[in-house]
């Protein structure tokens, strides 16, 4: 079983920066991707950024140009560098690992970390 432990959330002023980290422990199977999602009360969880095991990245429009996702394969850790933060970035940020094989995929979620951006 894989566990994801997130850190790095907090309170920051608009225009500031935060760096989120997510460390995975356990056995990770096959081709995989790790990513960050966020959710605000009353809304669906949305993808922010993801990165595959070979380093291919994907960003939501809200993250392009401001956020950078990176990954340390040796540590099974994914990072989200968030710059030029806006109040609308306020949300609970969740780390996700999608792994497995073509016939069976698995999604694992972290516990979430709060990011609050004040205006």
């Amino acid at each position: 079983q894989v566990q994801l432990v997130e850190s790095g959330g907090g309170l920051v002023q608009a225009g500031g920066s935060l760096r989120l980290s997510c460390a995975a422990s356990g056995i990770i199977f096959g081709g995989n991707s790790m990513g960050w999602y966020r959710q605000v009360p009353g809304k669906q969880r949305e993808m922010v950024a993801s990165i595959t095991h070979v380093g291919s990245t994907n960003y939501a429009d809200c993250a392009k140009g401001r956020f950078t996702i990176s990954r340390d394969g040796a540590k099974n850790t994914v990072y989200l560098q968030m710059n030029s933060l806006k109040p609308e970035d306020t949300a609970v940020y969740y780390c996700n690992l999608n792994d497995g094989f073509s016939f069976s995929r698995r999604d694992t979620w972290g516990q979430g970390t709060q990011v609050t951006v004040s205006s």
Side-chain angles (χ1 to χ4, degrees):
Q1 187 173 357
V2 174
Q3 288 189 324
L4 303 177
V5 178
E6 301 142 337
S7 60
L11 173 65
V12 65
Q13 288 188 331
S17 298
L18 282 175
R19 187 192 195 208
L20 306 182
S21 300
C22 172
S25 61
I27 298 174
I28 299 175
F29 295 105
N32 63 80
S33 67
M34 296 186 75
W36 291 94
Y37 289 67
R38 68 186 186 186
Q39 188 170 24
V40 297
K43 292 191 176 181
Q44 286 191 331
R45 191 172 297 186
E46 62 176 358
M47 193 276 288
V48 177
S50 64
I51 184 168
T52 70
H53 64 290
V54 294
S56 296
T57 58
N58 185 37
Y59 292 94
D61 288 343
C62 63
K64 290 178 181 176
R66 299 188 300 127
F67 297 178
T68 302
I69 191 168
S70 61
R71 185 169 179 170
D72 185 333
K75 297 181 180 179
N76 283 332
T77 299
V78 65
Y79 306 95
L80 185 67
Q81 178 66 44
M82 303 187 293
N83 299 327
S84 303
L85 283 162
K86 305 174 182 179
E88 51 263 44
D89 293 318
T90 296
V92 178
Y93 285 70
Y94 294 91
C95 180
N96 170 267
L97 166 68
N98 179 268
D99 70 333
F101 305 94
S102 59
F103 53 86
S104 180
R105 304 294 298 179
R106 174 179 65 174
D107 270 310
T108 304
W109 294 92
Q111 78 282 2
T113 185
Q114 177 70 47
V115 171
T116 302
V117 184
S118 63
S119 57

